[in-house]
Amino acid sequence: MMTQAGSAPIAPRRIVIDTDPGQDDAVAILLALASPELKVEAITTVAGNVPVALTTKNACALLELAGRTDIPVFAGAARPLHRAPISAEHVHGETGMAGADLPEPTLRPQAIDAATWLVDLLRREPEGAITLVCLGPMTNLALALTHAPDIASRIAGVVAMGGAQREGGNITPTAEFNFFVDPHAARIVMHSGIPITLLPLDVTHRAIATPARLAPIAAVGTSVTDMVVRMLGAEDRFEKLKYGWEGGALHDPLTIGWLLRPELFSGRDCNVEIEVDAPLCMGQSIVDLWNVTDRVPNALWINDVDSDAFYSLLTERLALLD
């Protein structure tokens, strides 16, 4: 429990992290585990950056590294709803965790699949008790919503890394990777009525892992921070080559940053639609940023962040893990 001066204890926000680790997913998970403001109820995995068997293995290995084997892992969807699987080994390496060098985990996922478990959890917990943090394709949540539409009103909110507008796409000219992998799932979630916060490429491309920002993390010198620096270095090589930046963008951890310090971010409520029909624009997020249509806002679209303050927060929290 947290406390504020002169006030009663504040219960941590209860979250489920739905993820496809991925180096930046790994950093997001570690940041959440290091933050007393959050209580990670479980990790659910999905195919995305690499196949689901590897994303599940990576999630288990990360929990063992952090000493949190009390947190259950539930393996989820092995493929998108209506498309062939798409992965990103060219960015994240064959295991999805290039640079991590983690040992084979002994922790194993639970027997129940992620979507079924999500439905059970949300139906038994009080309405508004659980926030979902989506770091990969939204297939698991879309499956849960399709089979149990009643859970939508029970979810406190969804905070997701996904979409792009002014930055264009990072997998096609128009689409961000998570939405491109399973656009039909993203569309179901965006139409669900759940309060949604999106952290798209528009904001993640403002949080570049430059050498100056990584140096304080490296200086901590724990096994966790050493691994984080190695992973980000392995991932950075792709984005340095592609964009000409000093380092790579730290995508997924910004979702946790927003939960911890929303005052570091800015954005606006607007309507976001996901293209599922046009081949050249598959997975594109069509963002009515200036309210030029009559479409009702369905997301808080985050488009800026105090990057230096976020990296200071990240360094502070990662130093708590060893």
Side-chain angles (χ1 to χ4, degrees):
M1 301 285 279
M2 298 174 298
T3 59
Q4 292 179 344
S7 64
I10 301 172
R13 186 194 298 251
R14 299 172 64 194
I15 66 172
V16 172
I17 300 177
D18 189 55
T19 180
D20 60 338
Q23 294 104 325
D24 56 330
D25 303 71
V27 178
I29 292 167
L30 292 171
L31 177 58
L33 295 176
S35 298
E37 301 95 326
L38 303 175
K39 183 178 187 294
V40 180
E41 297 288 334
I43 293 178
T44 56
T45 61
V46 65
N49 288 321
V50 289
V52 71
L54 287 173
T55 64
T56 304
K57 176 181 173 181
N58 292 341
C60 291
L62 285 166
L63 289 174
E64 286 192 353
L65 173 72
R68 294 301 309 273
T69 55
D70 58 302
I71 297 174
V73 175
F74 297 87
R79 57 180 299 127
L81 296 181
H82 302 298
R83 309 185 70 198
I86 299 163
S87 55
E89 288 89 349
H90 63 291
V91 179
H92 298 278
E94 289 301 313
T95 68
M97 296 272 285
D101 302 325
L102 289 174
E104 187 77 17
T106 58
L107 181 65
R108 294 291 181 264
Q110 303 294 306
I112 189 171
D113 71 277
T116 301
W117 177 79
L118 276 173
V119 172
D120 291 346
L121 172 75
L122 292 165
R123 282 178 169 170
R124 75 169 177 264
E125 293 294 337
E127 187 172 315
I130 303 295
T131 297
L132 302 182
V133 182
C134 296
L135 307 181
M138 293 180 169
T139 316
N140 289 332
L141 179 53
L143 285 169
L145 288 167
T146 299
H147 291 296
D150 58 287
I151 66 172
S153 64
R154 306 189 66 79
I155 299 171
V158 169
V159 181
M161 191 277 130
Q165 188 199 38
R166 66 166 181 259
E167 291 294 308
N170 62 352
I171 187 68
T172 73
T174 58
E176 177 274 326
F177 178 80
N178 287 341
F179 284 4
F180 181 73
V181 169
D182 200 341
H184 301 89
R187 190 178 193 197
I188 287 170
V189 175
M190 295 309 301
H191 283 222
S192 67
I194 302 167
I196 298 170
T197 300
L198 289 178
L199 290 102
L201 298 184
D202 298 47
V203 66
T204 68
H205 281 187
R206 293 179 178 269
I208 306 304
T210 63
R213 288 172 175 159
L214 290 182
I217 298 176
V220 174
T222 65
S223 58
V224 170
T225 56
D226 288 350
M227 184 197 72
V228 166
V229 172
R230 288 198 309 271
M231 286 195 306
L232 295 183
E235 186 180 31
D236 283 358
R237 284 192 284 273
F238 173 80
E239 293 194 335
K240 286 177 181 177
L241 200 61
K242 180 176 180 178
Y243 297 110
W245 294 336
E246 290 184 79
L250 205 58
H251 303 285
D252 294 331
L254 290 186
T255 59
I256 305 300
W258 185 85
L259 286 170
L260 296 174
R261 298 285 186 274
E263 68 275 10
L264 301 181
F265 296 80
S266 61
R268 65 174 66 204
D269 292 309
C270 56
N271 183 274
V272 180
E273 294 288 341
I274 311 301
E275 178 58 57
V276 298
D277 295 315
L280 285 176
C281 300
M282 184 66 71
Q284 180 178 6
S285 42
I286 299 91
V287 185
D288 188 7
L289 199 62
W290 304 108
N291 297 318
V292 297
T293 73
D294 59 359
R295 303 199 312 260
V296 175
N298 61 353
L300 173 59
W301 181 264
I302 303 296
N303 54 25
D304 205 357
V305 60
D306 183 338
S307 297
D308 289 334
F310 169 74
Y311 275 91
S312 293
L313 172 67
L314 179 64
T315 303
E316 168 201 312
R317 295 303 171 86
L318 291 179
L320 301 176
L321 296 172
D322 190 6

